[in-house]
Amino acid sequence: MIKVALVDDNPQVCTQLEKALTASAVKRGVNVDTAVYYSGESFCSSLDRGRNFDLLFMDIELEELNGIDAVDLVRNKYGNERMRIVFISAKAEYAGRLFEHDVMNFLVKPFTDEAVDEVLAKYVRVYHRERSRFSFKFKQSVHQVDSEDIMYFESEKRVVHLVTERDSYKFYDTLENVMNRLEDDRFCKVHQSYVVNLLYVKSYQADHLTLKNGKTIPVSRANREALAEKQLSFYFGGEKVEINEE
């Protein structure tokens, strides 16, 4: 089930989104559960009550609490980095100013049902997958972590550090074995000491990656071409990754 929030002060826009998403979900063979809000305040109030969403369609030009400020609250107050954001506006000039908000897509009003279908198709392809878990043994205990939660692995001699947004674990192994055991193609080896989850990459240069939490990870010359190919394959039609070759 994909939980979707629709936030727009125009009921007709919300109705169009609901109908287009329902049709797209049938086409994609997935289930969606939509919730409609006509203001940024009512949406954030639902988060205060414990509601959570996978995908958010957010109008920018809302009264009082606008869409950009509401999304900042999602990321900073509620600490939700997983919710995928699709901004909506009648002003196309907003598009180039939204990358800092970790946006999955931008729809310009009036938009078509086909455009909504493309957004859901991208979400399903990149984010909506069967959860896989990575298992490892340390000090006679077996631990499991959702693969989606893993930001990166770092190898230090025979010790591998598994790092998530909130925790860090260590176990004895090699990165080669880790890569062979991962059942998720979102991971890429970028250095002899690092394997990263592409979901958490914000930008990359020729010799390093920057993750969404600001962590910098080196990229070796031997892995640059493979990384570039995987980035293009993974993000084609998916989330934008900033590339700086300077």
Side-chain angles (χ1 to χ4, degrees):
M1 178 70 70
I2 302 173
K3 293 176 288 185
V4 185
L6 313 176
V7 187
D8 198 296
D9 53 10
N10 186 334
Q12 291 181 331
V13 171
C14 293
T15 298
Q16 180 189 357
L17 284 170
E18 278 195 294
K19 290 181 177 179
L21 284 168
T22 299
S24 180
V26 172
K27 179 180 178 181
R28 306 285 164 195
V30 297
N31 295 315
V32 296
D33 178 24
T34 58
V36 175
Y37 303 93
Y38 298 120
S39 69
E41 292 87 349
S42 60
F43 167 69
C44 288
S45 292
S46 75
L47 300 184
D48 285 330
R49 295 192 299 272
R51 290 294 302 273
N52 192 23
F53 299 96
D54 304 303
L55 184 59
L56 168 63
F57 288 80
M58 173 66 74
D59 184 25
I60 291 178
E61 295 164 308
L62 297 170
E63 295 184 5
E64 297 187 29
L65 182 62
N66 66 50
I68 293 176
D69 289 342
V71 166
D72 283 342
L73 289 174
V74 169
R75 299 298 192 216
N76 300 319
K77 177 182 177 181
Y78 300 103
N80 191 321
E81 295 291 340
R82 286 190 178 184
M83 195 184 301
R84 299 299 106 195
I85 310 298
V86 180
F87 274 122
I88 308 168
S89 176
K91 297 181 179 179
E93 57 265 28
Y94 278 119
R97 297 157 48 191
L98 297 175
F99 295 126
E100 63 187 87
H101 299 280
D102 192 17
V103 179
M104 190 184 92
N105 214 323
F106 178 73
L107 295 179
V108 179
K109 298 177 182 179
F111 51 83
T112 64
D113 292 353
E114 289 73 18
V116 178
D117 177 55
E118 289 175 5
V119 170
L120 187 63
K122 179 169 73 173
Y123 180 86
V124 170
R125 184 182 69 83
V126 178
Y127 302 104
H128 187 64
R129 307 181 181 199
E130 291 294 330
R131 281 188 175 271
S132 61
R133 295 179 67 81
F134 182 82
S135 301
F136 58 94
K137 185 176 181 180
F138 186 71
K139 292 184 177 179
Q140 306 304 314
S141 297
V142 176
H143 304 266
Q144 288 190 329
V145 177
D146 283 346
S147 296
E148 183 178 327
D149 293 339
I150 302 170
M151 297 178 64
Y152 64 92
F153 295 90
E154 179 180 0
S155 176
E156 185 179 7
K157 296 182 179 179
R158 287 284 297 176
V159 177
V160 174
H161 299 268
L162 183 162
V163 181
T164 71
E165 288 185 294
R166 294 180 174 83
D167 299 298
S168 179
Y169 308 88
K170 63 181 180 180
F171 56 95
Y172 294 105
D173 209 335
T174 65
L175 285 187
E176 286 73 21
N177 288 339
V178 168
M179 283 295 294
N180 289 334
R181 293 198 290 117
L182 283 167
E183 300 176 356
D184 195 321
D185 61 5
R186 292 176 282 203
F187 288 89
C188 182
K189 186 176 182 182
V190 299
H191 186 274
Q192 65 178 359
S193 300
Y194 289 93
V195 168
V196 300
N197 185 339
L198 297 181
L199 281 178
Y200 293 92
V201 176
K202 180 179 181 181
S203 64
Y204 72 94
Q205 295 182 328
D207 61 350
H208 70 272
L209 294 169
T210 301
L211 301 184
K212 293 178 180 179
N213 68 347
K215 168 75 175 178
T216 298
I217 291 180
V219 175
S220 66
R221 184 180 299 273
N223 289 284
R224 289 177 189 172
E225 184 175 351
L227 172 61
E229 291 178 355
K230 190 146 192 177
Q231 289 277 17
L232 288 172
S233 173
F234 186 76
Y235 288 107
F236 181 76
E239 187 172 280
K240 181 180 176 62
V241 172
E242 302 165 20
I243 302 174
N244 188 340
E245 298 181 350
E246 294 181 359

